Amino acid sequence: MTPDQSLAWLRRFGPLAVLALLLVAALASGLAGKLSLETLQAEGEALQAFAHHHPLQCALIYVVIYIATVSVSLPGALILSLSAGFLFGPLGGFLALTGVTGGSTVVYAACRTAFGDFLRRKPGALLTRIEDGFKADAFSYLLTLRLIPAFPLLLVNVASGLMKIPLRTYLLASVMGMAPSSFVYAGIGSGLGHLFAEGDPVTLATLASPRIYMPIIGLGVLALLPPLWKAARRRRVAPAADVK
């Protein structure tokens, strides 16, 4: 391998390699296990005191941790969004949105750099055909995926990078799509202090409620209607064109 080829390989796969190493380090250190409601309940008073006395420093640390967590795909995004409301109150939703968008963009950029062109050169170029259909209304489709929490965050980030959705479209749809859930979860988190004060164990199951999830799912369904309408119109127009 020539020096130029080595440099090209490093530019292409280096970011993914760094993320993989950071993930291994995080798992080996036990960091993943600390991103839990149990930890937040146990350390809640100390964390709130730190946030109160050092708000800017705490906010910066929080956003960096959130970006790093999503970048290496640790399963802690929901806990961090809840923590935002618990620590920062009304500002928490904005900080959570900043963190999850930043981390998601890192994964999107790494996958876009590493694998997009390789998969397009594969026989049949299935990715190219899927990408052409998706890009016809990429904003609406991505907005829908972001609005519905049931779609895994990592999967959406990777798929967006592989299909090379334009960065502006990706960021706009991601911010708009993840804002509702970020603020909803932060709002839930702002009330965790009362639950923690009771001393009983708090789990995600105790926080889950159709009253919380149904409006978010409803937003996702509404966002999906425009591209479905456009697809239906194209199907009706195509037979008419064939008849002519």
Side-chain angles (χ1 to χ4, degrees):
M1 183 179 293
T2 66
D4 289 341
Q5 290 175 326
S6 299
L7 183 59
W9 187 93
L10 183 63
R11 288 176 178 174
R12 183 170 184 173
F13 297 104
L16 274 182
V18 171
L19 293 180
L21 289 174
L22 290 175
L23 175 59
V24 172
L27 293 175
S29 66
L31 177 61
K34 297 179 181 179
L35 294 173
S36 65
L37 281 176
E38 291 78 10
T39 301
L40 185 61
Q41 185 171 7
E43 306 293 337
E45 292 185 5
L47 290 172
Q48 283 187 323
F50 181 75
H52 176 74
H53 291 99
H54 308 280
L56 294 179
Q57 183 180 354
C58 187
L60 179 60
I61 293 173
Y62 169 84
V63 170
V64 170
I65 290 175
Y66 206 146
I67 290 175
T69 298
V70 176
S71 296
V72 301
S73 305
L74 287 178
L78 176 55
I79 301 300
L80 287 170
S81 292
L82 293 170
S83 301
F86 177 70
L87 295 175
F88 305 106
L91 180 63
F94 173 76
L95 294 175
L97 180 60
T98 301
V100 72
T101 302
S104 296
T105 303
V106 171
V107 177
Y108 154 85
C111 291
R112 174 172 175 159
T113 300
F115 296 121
D117 292 336
F118 172 75
L119 292 176
R120 285 174 181 78
R121 292 196 297 267
K122 299 294 286 184
L126 175 61
L127 179 64
T128 300
R129 295 198 298 272
I130 297 174
E131 182 181 27
D132 290 341
F134 192 91
K135 278 189 174 181
D137 205 339
F139 176 82
S140 294
Y141 283 120
L142 182 56
L143 178 63
T144 301
L145 295 176
R146 291 302 197 195
L147 281 169
I148 301 178
F151 289 101
L153 183 64
L154 175 61
L155 181 60
V156 177
N157 296 337
V158 171
S160 299
L162 293 180
M163 289 186 285
K164 285 198 170 183
I165 295 174
L167 179 60
R168 180 183 298 181
T169 301
Y170 176 82
L171 287 175
L172 183 59
S174 294
V175 169
M176 292 181 62
M178 293 189 290
S181 57
S182 294
F183 282 93
V184 167
Y185 293 143
I188 298 171
S190 65
L192 284 177
H194 300 292
L195 295 176
F196 290 162
E198 296 176 359
D200 296 327
V202 179
T203 66
L204 292 177
T206 63
L207 301 177
S209 168
R211 180 173 56 86
I212 295 170
Y213 287 105
M214 291 307 296
I216 298 177
I217 294 174
L219 287 173
V221 172
L222 289 176
L224 186 59
L225 291 180
L228 289 177
W229 171 251
K230 289 182 180 180
R233 286 190 61 186
R234 285 196 296 269
R235 290 177 181 176
R236 287 200 299 267
V237 170
D242 293 339
V243 171
K244 291 181 181 180

